């Protein structure tokens, strides 16, 4: 019994010793795992916290940019606090569907207000400008200024139709939207005065710039030509007779055509000049009073 019991004690002692060694190994492995998890936790925290901090800073900067930009809108757009609040909400809503942040849209709205676009048209104007900038050679700020000024001259509020016309002309003619708009601004007042539509003005501008006529020289010269044709149509006499003859119609028909469709009358006159021999064309131009080099 004693021997057996001793044997049992010896055996049990050996078993306990092995068990304790096994447990020590387990504790060491858990200790290493715990350290690894702590290191992973620190790395994960750093990996997440830094970007989150960046996002927080970006969000703060975006909010500050918005407040600054919209404060400028409030200075150029007239309206009550409630009306301006609705405008702000509208601009933020636009930023969710357009590729421009709310602060950038506010800058366009600010320019629109400065140039006289009515508050009720500012959101549509802003959206149109962004779309035009995305599909043309014009930057958003350039487009906003140019279209607002053109609208102010021609008293036209349909900015979307204007932008569509501009984009089509830029793609169909050997010119750019920027060049067309620059020329259009130079002849807009005269064109409107003699009864040309906004589309007529832009069409004539596209035709001129596509053959290399610069806005600085061509705009003034074309304005003189349009005024000269309008005066001849109104006063009659030799100049009207000459124009009518070149256009292939009677003086009365040419006058009537000019009164109803100024751009069409000018187009008919230019086509008629194009069918003349070079020397005859120069003589006709001189008879019409357009002998200056730029005007020719």
């Amino acid at each position: 019994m004693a021997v057996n019991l001793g044997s049992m004690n010896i055996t049990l002692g050996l078993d306990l010793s092995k068990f304790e060694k096994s447990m020590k190994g387990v504790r060491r492995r858990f200790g290493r795992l715990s350290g690894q998890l702590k290191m992973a936790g620190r790395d994960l925290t750093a990996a997440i916290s830094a970007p989150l901090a960046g996002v927080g800073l970006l969000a703060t900067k975006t909010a500050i940019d918005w407040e600054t930009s919209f404060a400028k809108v409030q200075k150029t757009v007239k309206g009550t606090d409630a009306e301006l609040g609705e405008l702000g909400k509208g601009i933020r809503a636009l930023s969710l569907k357009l590729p421009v942040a709310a602060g950038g849209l506010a800058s366009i709205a600010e320019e629109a207000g400065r140039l006289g676009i009515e508050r009720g048209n500012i959101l549509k104007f802003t959206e149109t400008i962004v779309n035009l900038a995305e599909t043309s050679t014009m930057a958003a700020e350039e487009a906003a200024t140019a279209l607002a000024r053109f609208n102010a001259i021609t008293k036209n509020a349909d900015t979307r139709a204007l932008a569509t016309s501009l984009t089509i002309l830029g793609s169909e003619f050997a010119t750019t939207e920027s060049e067309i708009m620059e020329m259009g601004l130079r002849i807009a007042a005269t064109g409107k005065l003699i009864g040309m539509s906004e589309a007529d003005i832009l069409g004539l501008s596209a035709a001129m710039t596509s053959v290399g006529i610069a806005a600085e020289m061509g705009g003034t010269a074309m304005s003189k030509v349009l005024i000269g044709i309008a005066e001849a149509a109104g006063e009659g006499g030799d100049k009207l007779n000459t124009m009518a003859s070149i256009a292939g119609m009677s003086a009365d028909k040419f006058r009537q055509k000019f009164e109803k469709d100024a751009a069409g009358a000018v187009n008919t006159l230019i086509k008629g000049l194009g069918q003349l021999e070079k020397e005859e064309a120069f003589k006709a131009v001189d008879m019409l009073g357009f002998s200056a080099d730029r005007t020719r």
Side-chain angles (χ1 to χ4, degrees):
M1 292 292 291
V3 172
N4 289 337
L5 181 61
S7 297
M8 289 178 64
N9 285 338
I10 291 170
T11 302
L12 183 59
L14 289 172
D15 290 342
L16 286 172
S17 176
K18 290 180 180 180
F19 178 74
E20 287 176 356
K21 287 181 180 180
S22 297
M23 289 303 295
K24 286 180 181 178
V26 171
R27 284 196 295 270
R28 281 197 296 270
R29 285 194 292 272
F30 270 104
R32 287 197 298 270
L33 179 60
S34 176
Q36 291 169 352
L37 286 173
K38 286 180 180 178
M39 291 176 63
R42 286 195 298 269
D43 293 343
L44 186 61
T45 299
I48 294 176
S49 297
L52 284 178
V55 170
L57 289 173
L58 180 60
T60 301
K61 184 179 183 302
T62 301
I64 293 173
D65 288 346
W66 162 252
E67 293 297 335
T68 302
S69 299
F70 193 67
K72 294 178 180 179
V73 175
Q74 292 172 311
K75 292 180 180 178
T76 64
V77 180
K78 295 180 180 179
T80 64
D81 290 343
E83 290 168 337
L84 292 175
E86 286 299 314
L87 177 59
K89 290 179 183 177
I91 293 174
R92 283 179 172 276
L94 274 182
S95 70
L96 298 178
K97 68 174 185 176
L98 296 177
V100 179
L105 296 178
S107 296
I108 298 174
E110 175 199 350
E111 190 66 19
R114 179 178 291 109
L115 294 168
I117 301 296
E118 294 182 1
R119 187 185 65 258
N121 294 325
I122 285 181
L123 288 179
K124 184 169 73 172
F125 177 85
T126 301
E127 182 177 6
T128 299
I129 292 302
V130 172
N131 290 333
L132 178 60
E134 287 291 308
T135 57
S136 74
T137 58
M138 303 180 77
E141 184 177 350
E142 176 194 6
T145 301
L147 266 66
R149 287 176 177 171
F150 191 87
N151 284 346
I153 294 170
T154 61
K155 309 300 179 185
N156 171 46
D158 194 349
T159 306
R160 187 167 298 172
L162 181 63
T164 300
S165 298
L166 194 58
T167 302
I168 292 172
L169 290 169
S171 64
E172 294 294 327
F173 283 76
T175 183
T176 67
E177 293 84 358
S178 297
E179 291 174 316
I180 297 170
M181 198 72 252
E182 185 179 2
M183 180 70 81
L185 285 169
R186 290 180 180 273
I187 66 174
T190 301
K192 191 67 176 178
L193 181 64
I194 67 172
M196 293 175 69
S197 69
E198 290 78 15
D200 291 335
I201 295 169
L202 291 181
L204 181 57
S205 299
M208 293 172 67
T209 55
S210 68
V211 294
I213 299 175
E216 292 81 359
M217 297 183 294
T220 301
M222 180 54 74
S223 293
K224 289 181 179 179
V225 170
L226 295 176
I227 291 173
I229 295 173
E231 288 177 345
E235 296 172 2
D238 291 340
K239 286 185 179 180
L240 176 59
N241 292 331
T242 301
M243 288 181 187
S245 176
I246 294 171
M249 60 184 71
S250 68
D252 285 340
K253 283 189 176 181
F254 185 82
R255 180 191 288 111
Q256 290 171 8
K257 184 173 182 62
F258 186 82
E259 290 174 350
K260 293 179 180 179
D261 178 15
V266 173
N267 189 40
T268 303
L269 177 62
I270 292 173
K271 283 184 177 180
L273 283 169
Q275 293 173 355
L276 298 176
E277 295 293 333
K278 183 177 180 180
E279 292 301 322
E280 291 181 348
F282 277 123
K283 288 181 180 178
V285 167
D286 288 342
M287 289 178 64
L288 296 175
F290 305 140
S291 57
D293 288 342
R294 289 184 180 181
T295 310
R296 282 187 178 187

